[in-house]
Amino acid sequence: MILQEKIKTNFDDTELIDKIEQLKKEKNAILLAHFYVDEKIQDIADYVGDSLGLSQKAVKTNADMIVFAGVHFMAETAKILSPDKKVLIPDFDAGCSLANSCPPQEFGLFKEKYPDHIVISYINCSALIKTMSDIICTSGNAVQIVESFPKNQKILFAPDKNFGGYINRVTGRKMIFWNGACEVHDNLKTESIIKMKNKYPDAKVIAHPECKEQILELADFVGSTTALLNFTKKDKAKKFIVATESGILHQMRKESPQKEFYIVAKDDKSNCNDCSYMKMNSLQKLYLCMKNEYPQIHLNNEIIIKARKPIERMFEISRSLGLI
Ligand code: 13P
Ligand code: SF4
C-alpha cells in the first residue's frame, strides 16, 4: 500500500511543499524541525530549533498532530510530553548513534554500581533510558541543571562522555560517565580545525559540546545549536569555523548573510559533516507520512509516565532559573 503510494507520488519539490502545506491545514498539524535536517524542510517548518526548544514546542502546541523532522528520540520525547497527540516521524529508521550507544539493559547494570549517584541523562537517549534517569538535560541547559544540585552530589551522566566531560570541566562536579558518543561530533579531527585556522586566521571557531575535549579546547565558543546560532548573530567576527553538523549553516547564513561560515568536514575527502540519520528526512517522506499518518510513535503508558518525570523536572529547574 505504502509502496504503491510511493510509486504514484512522483511530485517535484514545489508540488510536495504545496501538498505538505495543505495537509498541515487539513490535519491541524505542526511541523517541527531540527537545525540538522535538509534546508528545504527547515524552510517549511513551523518551528526550527534545538532539542530544548523543540521539546517545549511539543508541550505547548494546540495542534492535533506533531510531525517531527528530526530523529527518533526527539519524536519519542514529543510523544512522552504530548501523549494524546499523533506524533509522526518521516522515517522510522532515523535513529541516533549517541542514543544507540546506551542500551538500557547494560545501562541498568552500570547504574546499579553507583547507588549513591543521581542519574542526569542528556535528552539524546531512548525513552527507556529516560525512565532510569532522575533528570534530563539538553545541550541548552545541562551546565545549569548540574549546578542546581549541591556541590557534593555525586552524578552519573549518560550517555555522552564528551558532553559529560565538558560539563565536568565547567562545573568541577563529581561526575562519572557512560561511555557513549555521537559519531558525527566524536570523529572530528583537531588537524582539520588547525588547517582551517591557517586558511582563515581571522575566523572564530565554534563547537558543539558533543565534540572531543581536544576540539573544544580550540574553540572560541562552545554551545548548543541554538547558542551557536545566536553567537554568530551577535559576535563581531565575520568568519566562523563551525564544528557541528552541516545543517546548522542554513540558519546561520539566513540570519547573517554578510558573514562567512565554514563547516569542519568529517574527513579530507568531503566538504561536509552530515548526520546520516537527520538526513533521512526528505520532502517525499514527509509528505507520505502526513498523508498516511505513518510511521507514528507509539509508547506504552507506563513508559510515558516514568519517562515524563525527569523531563518535567528539567522544565521545572529551567523555569526556576529563567532559562525558559
Ligand atoms: P542540540 O540540542 O544542541 O540541537 O543538539 C542535538 C543534537 O542531536 C546534537 O547532535
Ligand atoms: Fe544523534 Fe549525533 Fe545525529 Fe545528533 S548528530 S542526532 S547526536 S547521531
Side-chain angles (χ1 to χ4, degrees), residues 15 27 87 110 116 140 181 213 229 234 248 265 271 278 289 300 319:
E15 288 168 320
K27 304 202 176 196
V87 178
F110 181 72
D116 55 345
E213 181 175 1
L229 176 63
K234 290 184 191 139
I248 187 72
N271 57 3
M278 288 281 186
C289 98
N300 135 343
R319 239 175 263 122

Side-chain angles (χ1 to χ4, degrees), residues 34-36 49-52 73-74 96 122-124 138-140 182 185 208 210 223-226 244 278:
H34 188 267
F35 288 124
Y36 294 165
D50 67 357
S51 304
L52 182 60
F73 79 82
M74 294 179 174
C96 166
Y122 187 30
I123 198 161
N124 298 34
T138 75
S139 51
C182 153
H185 292 88
H208 195 278
E210 288 172 22
S224 71
T225 48
T226 296
T244 186
M278 288 281 186

